[in-house]
Amino acid sequence: MSNNQFNLHYEAELNEGIRVTTLSPIFCSGDIEAHSFVVKVMRNGKPVNLAGTTVRGFFIRPDNVTITLEGSVNDDGEAVVTLTNSCYHKQGRFQLVVRATINGVVSTLFCGLGGMLLT
């Protein structure tokens, strides 16, 4: 993660199912890799270290184009997905889904709904 990014932190409890999160930050077209989503995963209130798992994000733009984002696991064992340039092309409502493959099981960790402003 770059120091120039907005690192947006969220938490997911695997035993409670996924809740849709309304993203309150303003996202602007023309930004490039400006936002990273960091998801701390919990099970029964205890952190789950995702080291060794595969993390992917799926950014659904307002024009219904889905951008697949290769994620990573940070030093704290949290899922990290950074928006790429192509995520910032269209004005309107978007959706971001973050998934991890944990012990062969694909789990959705995060679902966020936000808006992109034209700049």
Side-chain angles (χ1 to χ4, degrees), residues 36-110:
S36 285
F37 290 79
V38 181
V39 181
K40 181 177 185 176
V41 179
M42 309 291 283
R43 184 182 301 275
N44 297 321
K46 297 180 181 171
V48 174
N49 189 320
L50 297 177
T53 66
T54 302
V55 175
R56 285 197 178 85
F58 300 91
F59 186 92
I60 300 102
R61 292 189 330 203
D63 59 356
N64 289 321
V65 170
T66 299
I67 312 293
T68 300
L69 306 166
E70 293 303 319
S72 62
V73 177
N74 67 15
D75 292 340
D76 294 324
E78 302 164 323
V80 179
V81 172
T82 300
L83 301 187
T84 61
N85 183 31
S86 57
C87 296
Y88 297 99
H89 281 283
K90 300 290 180 180
Q91 178 181 359
R93 302 292 295 160
F94 67 83
Q95 183 178 23
L96 174 68
V97 174
V98 177
R99 291 187 174 133
T101 304
I102 305 169
N103 297 323
V105 176
V106 178
S107 297
T108 299
L109 306 176
F110 178 81

